[in-house]
Amino acid sequence: MIDFSQYDETKPLEMHNLQFDIAVEHLEVEDWILDKIKTPRREFSVRFPLRFDDGHTVLLSGYRVQHNTLRGPAKGGIRYHPQVDLDEVRALAGWMTWKCAVVDIPFGGGKGGVTCDPATMSSAELERLTRRYIWEISPIIGPEKDIPAPDVNTNPQVMAWIVDTYSVFKGYTCNSVVTGKPPAIGGSAGRLKATSRGCVYVLEEAAREMGLDLNSARAVVQGFGNVGYHAAELLHEMGVKVVAVSDVDGGVFNPAGLDPAAVQAHVAGGGSLPEYPQGEALTNAELLELDCEVLVPAALEGQINLANADNIKAQVVVEGANGPTSPQADQIFYDKGIFVVPDILANAGGVTVSYFEWVQNLQKLFWTESDVNQQLKHIMAKAFGEVFAIHQKEKVNMRTAAYMLAIGRVAEAKQLRGVFP
Ligand code: NAD
């Protein structure tokens, strides 16, 4: 039996390791393979100077971790955030390995990050930061080696600077080095909303299994960035009442339902989200505990833990964010009958369409958005079905089922590839 008290639920890497350790209790895999695939294959730390617009210069720390490359090149986003450190990047890279394996796409897992505060930086500063960071990690990235993508505080414009910097470095235009680019330079139709669309597809699968009628459901979304905003918008479009949304400043609640596009227009116009006039302000902590059927955490890790899990009222939690729920909170949810669609399944739509983007770039082809969405739906529904079958057969929660599927696939790759030399 695993002693949960040995793992700190506030630390992403310890969450990742505990999730892995729980799953391997149900698997028969040789110990050396488990040791090999639990920890990162390669870690790269860089220190580089950034000159600010006012002329002062600071030294920044950045990381790129390639957790696993057994099933294909490393794949994973780049995060700019004050909390970024090597352990967080290790955890996020590990989650990418399991995510790509759950949806069975030919990638390993990687992640990158720079410890910085983009909220206080100008666009020119962000561009210089991006170009220098990419130059620093350029020896280990590339279309066949490691392919970055957007994550917290990085977006299609940042990806465009990455294409340009890497292309200058190589001496020719190479857009397959990164995904999540603007369509004008090789981005895929459907990529911007893909993570959120994937969340909606697995929510539909979960609702069907649970007998939950989404037409009369209320949803709460934490985080109003790429994943959270588009999830709220897609839920609203399909008739789910989005009763609350939030960002780093706090949330807004309206039991009659919010129009996410109107909230977005208010924020884009310089308003603070909690001050949106057609609703009542609330804190992020209050938002998570609202009465609702569907909860979509789409901000940062560690939001749902021993302190609040017992107060969560949703029937289904669809993890748009990576690592929002601690394994300790998972146990409480399992006992209470709250159905969790875990991050490595729920938000895999982003990396799945990133895979489509990479394939299109390599083949110099463009797919239509309806082709992209159809293929995405197929992959998400298949992965959900496979995880759900393990969840039922093995009587484990959905997260452990997803890890069992993913670890099994990565372990099989190691077994087949063998040991060099
Ligand atoms: P983003 O930077 O576009 O948005 C992040 C949002 O979270 C912002 O609205 C921000 O204000 C809010 N936020 C930040 N700290 C918060 C806090 N303490 N409480 C509440 N809200 C807070 O980032 P994103 O790309 O939407 O990523 C969100 C999550 O989804 C992350 O966990 C990321 O790893 C995960 N994810 C993103 C993608 C993708 O394609 N972008 C794919 C898979 C998973």
Side-chain angles (χ1 to χ4, degrees):
M1 263 313 254
I2 294 176
D3 178 2
F4 276 42
S5 67
Q6 297 300 307
Y7 300 78
D8 182 342
E9 66 162 354
T10 66
K11 299 203 165 104
L13 187 58
E14 296 206 21
M15 282 176 56
H16 167 273
N17 291 344
L18 177 52
Q19 290 162 345
F20 182 94
D21 293 345
I22 293 168
V24 300
E25 285 212 307
H26 302 271
L27 292 171
E28 281 178 27
V29 179
E30 287 181 67
D31 283 348
W32 73 270
I33 293 183
L34 292 176
D35 286 349
K36 159 92 185 119
I37 66 177
K38 179 177 175 179
T39 51
R41 173 178 186 200
R42 188 180 285 131
E43 303 179 343
F44 208 63
S45 295
V46 294
R47 293 274 284 159
F48 58 92
L50 172 69
R51 181 152 300 142
F52 281 77
D53 295 343
D54 67 3
H56 85 285
T57 302
V58 295
L59 212 55
L60 297 178
S61 296
Y63 310 93
R64 185 74 192 171
V65 171
Q66 295 172 350
H67 179 266
N68 197 282
T69 54
L70 283 166
R71 290 165 43 88
K75 184 85 190 84
I78 291 174
R79 178 174 292 197
Y80 294 165
H81 197 276
Q83 272 172 25
V84 165
D85 63 18
L86 183 55
D87 270 354
E88 185 190 53
V89 179
R90 285 175 172 140
L92 290 163
W95 286 325
M96 288 308 299
T97 297
W98 315 125
K99 191 181 302 181
C100 293
V102 164
V103 286
D104 210 5
I105 56 176
F107 286 139
K111 204 83 179 193
V114 177
T115 316
C116 63
D117 187 1
T120 62
M121 292 166 65
S122 70
S123 174
E125 288 162 351
L126 281 172
E127 178 175 351
R128 287 198 290 278
L129 179 156
T130 301
R131 290 183 182 279
R132 180 60 191 256
Y133 166 66
I134 290 303
W135 187 84
E136 293 288 342
I137 66 166
S138 59
I140 64 158
I141 63 169
E144 305 295 341
K145 295 199 277 191
D146 182 353
I147 308 135
D151 191 73
V152 173
N153 291 325
T154 57
N155 57 23
Q157 175 61 72
V158 173
M159 300 304 114
W161 292 327
I162 294 176
V163 168
D164 189 69
T165 306
Y166 187 80
S167 297
V168 168
F169 173 72
K170 296 299 278 188
Y172 57 91
T173 294
C174 179
N175 61 10
S176 49
V177 65
V178 75
T179 58
K181 303 174 285 285
I185 54 165
S188 178
R191 174 60 185 90
L192 193 65
K193 298 186 188 181
T195 308
S196 315
R197 205 177 283 284
C199 287
V200 168
Y201 289 154
V202 291
L203 170 63
E204 286 173 331
E205 298 294 316
R208 196 165 37 77
E209 295 295 349
M210 297 165 67
L212 173 69
D213 179 9
L214 289 176
N215 292 319
S216 57
R218 294 160 301 169
V220 167
V221 181
Q222 186 197 36
F224 208 57
N226 182 276
V227 182
Y229 167 61
H230 291 117
E233 190 194 31
L234 291 169
L235 288 167
H236 177 73
E237 277 170 16
M238 65 193 261
V240 176
K241 199 186 277 180
V242 178
V243 294
V245 297
S246 70
D247 67 8
V248 67
D249 295 328
V252 63
F253 169 60
N254 184 336
L258 295 159
D259 174 359
V263 181
Q264 167 77 345
H266 164 82
V267 174
S272 120
L273 193 147
E275 285 168 5
Y276 179 67
Q278 265 102 56
E280 184 188 314
L282 78 179
T283 65
N284 266 289
E286 290 166 339
L287 172 127
L288 292 171
E289 298 180 9
L290 282 172
D291 222 348
C292 64
E293 284 71 42
V294 180
L295 176 60
V296 183
L300 295 179
E301 53 270 12
Q303 299 297 303
I304 303 169
N305 45 49
L306 283 173
N308 61 358
D310 228 357
N311 304 328
I312 306 276
K313 298 176 191 70
Q315 292 176 29
V316 54
V317 178
V318 180
E319 295 185 332
N322 287 307
T325 312
S326 75
Q328 289 81 348
D330 270 339
Q331 279 199 317
I332 295 173
F333 283 173
Y334 193 62
D335 292 342
K336 284 177 66 172
I338 296 179
F339 190 88
V340 178
V341 189
D343 47 9
I344 59 171
L345 170 62
N347 69 44
V351 76
T352 300
V353 176
S354 277
Y355 163 54
F356 298 160
E357 182 171 325
W358 179 72
V359 168
Q360 292 169 78
N361 293 158
L362 294 179
Q363 299 186 332
K364 315 292 178 208
L365 287 174
F366 287 97
W367 303 359
T368 64
E369 182 162 0
S370 84
D371 279 347
V372 167
N373 292 345
Q374 206 181 330
Q375 293 285 335
L376 173 63
K377 186 169 189 152
H378 170 74
I379 287 184
M380 296 304 293
K382 178 168 172 284
F384 182 94
E386 288 172 333
V387 172
F388 191 77
I390 298 171
H391 153 73
Q392 285 203 308
K393 180 161 178 272
E394 304 292 335
K395 303 200 173 0
V396 293
N397 66 27
M398 285 287 284
R399 190 181 320 277
T400 298
Y403 270 81
M404 289 169 67
L405 180 65
I407 294 169
R409 284 178 175 157
V410 177
E412 184 189 3
K414 184 66 217 163
Q415 189 77 54
L416 287 166
R417 287 181 59 161
V419 178
F420 173 83

